[in-house]
Amino acid sequence: MKNNFIKLLLTLCVFVGISCSKDDAEPTPTNPTPAETTITSSATSVSIAESSRSAAITITMTGKDWAAVSDQAWCTLSVTSSSLQSQEVTINVTSNTTTSARQAILTFVMDGNAQKNVKVTVTQAASSSLYPSYNTNPIAADATGMSSNATELASKMKLGWNIGNTLEATGGETAWGNPKVTKALIDFVKANGFNAIRIPCSWNQYLANSTTAEIKADWLARVKEVVQYCVDNDMYVIVNIHWDGGWLENNCTETKKVENNAKQKAFWEQIATQLRGFDEHLLFASANEPNVENATQMAVLNSYHQTFIDAVRSTGGKNAYRNLIIQGPSTDIEKTNKLMTTLPTDKVANRMMAEVHFYPYQFTLMTKDESWGKMFYYWGAGNHSTTDTERNPTWGEEADIDKLFKSMKTQFVDKGIPVILGEFGAIRRDLTGDALTLHLKSRADFLKYVVKQSRANGMIPFYWDAGFMGVNTMTIFNRTNNTVYDTQALTALQDGLK
């Protein structure tokens, strides 16, 4: 009876829809709705550097299978279809030989249903290898003769001289009227109180092959020969890439960034390899007067400097420790104060110097009056004319030099980054009588003051000598016979060291 009663009770529960579970829970649906099928990627955008050739993603799905397609032939997949719920896929790309970044779209479709897909955007960087590598025989780092860091080396450099308008001259070393540099000339410069030489150099006009950026072997040998003249005299010597047709200096722009970094790398791998055997007497300088007006252009210039540093270091030998010089924007002190707030990185500590130039234009270079201002013939305390007052300076004198040079000391020198004053000077004007006498005294006082204040603020001054004689020039040596052309200017420079 008891068992029959229980059976009857259960039957009634079913008919009236009463749950007879122990916990009195809600009924479980008899026909559950299946979960929605999906396909996803571990990344929907992938960036691949030009130097890389692959990247990996993972495709996850809840369907039966998927298939994939790329819209660009240069971008392929290691797996184009799979039935696995989770599948790692390698994205392979060919080398980007263009100067622009490029994109491909990868589409993964699940279960043959075009509506069920995931897309992955692949971006590959522009080429930085437009030219072959010239670092073909890097050697082990060699610290022999390279013991001085930047600050220590700067303390050994007293007064420098530029071989201006010569090895950078368009058309060849003698194209601008100067004779070929001889050992006798360098000996003469050393005998007159200079212990450092700056060699402005062009390279772009000396290419054996413009397609590959290969520099002619005889030009590399010629520059090395002139460097040897200097080092034989126990002189410190700077080799740079000067204006060089403006390929770098006039193009600190995003549109030229990739192309110019490629050339900068190719050139410095060749230059650095050729001159690798010289000890710390040789320094390299990235550029000359790169035209930069804003932070965007400064960032591009810093990329050129970074390429320079990396290329030199990569060649090994003494270049692993060589002191290197980077230029401020337009090598202008005020712009450098404002824009050069970050520096490129160097894996070798304390081997970097900065470079600026100093030409207060209206006194030092201006050769005709303009609507915005007149030429200054005179300069300095006690040198203002009482009769030719419109030619007295209104700026650029002692107080301005003190302020500007002090700013370089604060921003760089005090932080272990010596500053090369790579160029300075003042033209000799075509005047007569008392005006000429006062002008020449002003010019001598200017040169002396620049040298003195450079040294006081940890800067190394390099006088610009173009080699041309006559009015509106800054020449102090006659290179045709190795004699002093401008004794007053030379004496002023020497006096600045006292």
Side-chain angles (χ1 to χ4, degrees), residues 387-404:
T387 58
D388 193 14
T389 56
E390 69 174 2
R391 299 303 178 183
N392 288 330
T394 57
W395 66 280
E397 295 184 281
E398 291 94 339
D400 287 332
I401 290 178
D402 293 347
K403 178 182 177 181
L404 291 171

Side-chain angles (χ1 to χ4, degrees), residues 218-459:
D218 60 349
W219 182 245
L220 286 164
R222 172 57 180 158
V223 174
K224 184 176 182 178
E225 182 178 37
V226 177
V227 172
Q228 192 70 60
Y229 296 158
C230 302
V231 174
D232 286 346
N233 268 296
D234 191 29
M235 302 177 82
Y236 298 92
V237 56
I238 297 170
V239 168
N240 75 351
I241 293 180
H242 210 67
W243 177 70
D244 206 15
W247 67 266
L248 183 152
E249 301 214 339
N250 293 341
N251 293 288
C252 294
T253 62
E254 284 290 338
T255 57
K256 286 289 187 177
K257 181 178 177 179
V258 171
E259 177 184 336
N260 283 349
N261 271 311
K263 182 175 285 189
Q264 179 86 322
K265 178 177 180 288
F267 280 7
W268 278 110
E269 284 177 344
Q270 295 173 81
I271 299 165
T273 298
Q274 175 74 7
L275 304 177
R276 183 166 53 192
F278 290 102
D279 67 8
E280 68 183 23
H281 283 80
L282 174 63
L283 302 88
F284 293 143
S286 175
N288 173 49
E289 293 179 347
N291 294 323
V292 167
E293 299 295 335
N294 54 53
T296 299
Q297 293 174 346
M298 186 66 228
V300 175
L301 175 58
N302 262 338
S303 78
Y304 297 161
H305 290 333
Q306 188 67 63
T307 295
F308 156 69
I309 292 170
D310 293 344
V312 172
R313 296 287 182 238
S314 72
T315 62
K318 299 183 191 304
N319 288 339
Y321 302 98
R322 194 166 307 284
N323 282 281
L324 304 178
I325 305 167
I326 59 171
Q327 290 61 47
S330 305
T331 53
D332 177 90
I333 294 177
E334 291 180 302
K335 289 181 183 178
T336 299
N337 276 325
K338 179 180 179 182
L339 297 174
M340 202 169 181
T341 55
T342 60
L343 301 175
T345 60
D346 188 359
K347 62 183 180 181
V348 185
N350 304 316
R351 299 278 170 151
M352 190 184 302
M353 300 184 185
E355 180 180 354
V356 293
H357 298 171
F358 187 63
Y359 294 110
Y361 182 69
Q362 285 171 268
F363 175 66
T364 63
L365 296 174
M366 192 174 181
T367 56
K368 66 175 184 176
D369 293 337
E370 301 288 354
S371 59
W372 51 264
K374 296 180 178 295
M375 295 177 286
F376 299 158
Y377 294 167
Y378 315 111
W379 183 94
N383 292 333
H384 287 205
S385 174
T386 57
T387 58
D388 193 14
T389 56
E390 69 174 2
R391 299 303 178 183
N392 288 330
T394 57
W395 66 280
E397 295 184 281
E398 291 94 339
D400 287 332
I401 290 178
D402 293 347
K403 178 182 177 181
L404 291 171
F405 287 14
K406 177 66 174 179
S407 71
M408 290 291 94
K409 182 177 186 296
T410 300
Q411 187 166 344
F412 297 108
V413 177
D414 290 346
K415 298 174 183 176
I417 305 171
V419 175
I420 300 291
L421 187 65
E423 294 182 19
F424 74 99
I427 60 174
R428 179 188 179 109
R429 297 185 179 277
D430 187 15
L431 303 172
T432 59
D434 292 342
L436 177 61
T437 300
L438 186 58
H439 164 67
L440 293 178
K441 182 178 183 299
S442 297
R443 183 168 172 264
D445 287 350
F446 168 77
L447 298 178
K448 178 180 177 180
Y449 199 80
V450 169
V451 172
K452 181 178 180 180
Q453 292 306 106
S454 293
R455 300 305 307 170
N457 287 281
M459 302 167 66

Side-chain angles (χ1 to χ4, degrees), residues 84-337:
L84 297 178
Q85 298 297 295
S86 181
Q87 173 74 61
E88 184 175 271
V89 179
T90 300
I91 302 169
N92 297 305
V93 298
T94 61
S95 176
N96 185 1
T97 59
T98 73
T99 58
S100 301
R102 58 185 182 179
Q103 284 189 343
I105 304 295
L106 307 175
T107 304
F108 298 82
V109 176
M110 186 178 67
D111 295 340
N113 185 345
Q115 302 302 314
K116 296 180 179 181
N117 71 77
V118 63
K119 295 181 184 293
V120 177
T121 301
V122 179
T123 302
Q124 186 184 22
S127 174
S128 59
S129 302
L130 300 179
Y131 308 111
S133 173
Y134 288 98
N135 186 24
T136 56
N137 64 330
I139 61 177
D142 178 8
T144 307
M146 306 297 293
S147 61
S148 300
N149 64 29
T151 299
E152 293 165 343
L153 192 64
S155 69
K156 300 176 183 180
M157 302 165 68
K158 305 302 181 185
L159 180 63
W161 181 77
N162 278 274
I163 312 177
N165 291 4
T166 308
L167 274 77
E168 84 280 25
T170 302
E173 185 175 348
T174 62
W176 289 352
N178 283 314
K180 289 188 68 172
V181 178
T182 63
K183 188 177 186 303
L185 171 64
I186 303 303
D187 293 347
F188 184 71
V189 173
K190 173 66 181 294
N192 279 279
F194 297 86
N195 80 330
I197 297 285
R198 181 171 177 260
I199 308 177
C201 285
S202 69
W203 305 93
N204 202 45
Q205 67 173 320
Y206 294 106
L207 295 183
N209 186 332
S210 59
T211 302
T212 62
E214 179 187 0
I215 301 170
K216 291 179 180 179
D218 60 349
W219 182 245
L220 286 164
R222 172 57 180 158
V223 174
K224 184 176 182 178
E225 182 178 37
V226 177
V227 172
Q228 192 70 60
Y229 296 158
C230 302
V231 174
D232 286 346
N233 268 296
D234 191 29
M235 302 177 82
Y236 298 92
V237 56
I238 297 170
V239 168
N240 75 351
I241 293 180
H242 210 67
W243 177 70
D244 206 15
W247 67 266
L248 183 152
E249 301 214 339
N250 293 341
N251 293 288
C252 294
T253 62
E254 284 290 338
T255 57
K256 286 289 187 177
K257 181 178 177 179
V258 171
E259 177 184 336
N260 283 349
N261 271 311
K263 182 175 285 189
Q264 179 86 322
K265 178 177 180 288
F267 280 7
W268 278 110
E269 284 177 344
Q270 295 173 81
I271 299 165
T273 298
Q274 175 74 7
L275 304 177
R276 183 166 53 192
F278 290 102
D279 67 8
E280 68 183 23
H281 283 80
L282 174 63
L283 302 88
F284 293 143
S286 175
N288 173 49
E289 293 179 347
N291 294 323
V292 167
E293 299 295 335
N294 54 53
T296 299
Q297 293 174 346
M298 186 66 228
V300 175
L301 175 58
N302 262 338
S303 78
Y304 297 161
H305 290 333
Q306 188 67 63
T307 295
F308 156 69
I309 292 170
D310 293 344
V312 172
R313 296 287 182 238
S314 72
T315 62
K318 299 183 191 304
N319 288 339
Y321 302 98
R322 194 166 307 284
N323 282 281
L324 304 178
I325 305 167
I326 59 171
Q327 290 61 47
S330 305
T331 53
D332 177 90
I333 294 177
E334 291 180 302
K335 289 181 183 178
T336 299
N337 276 325

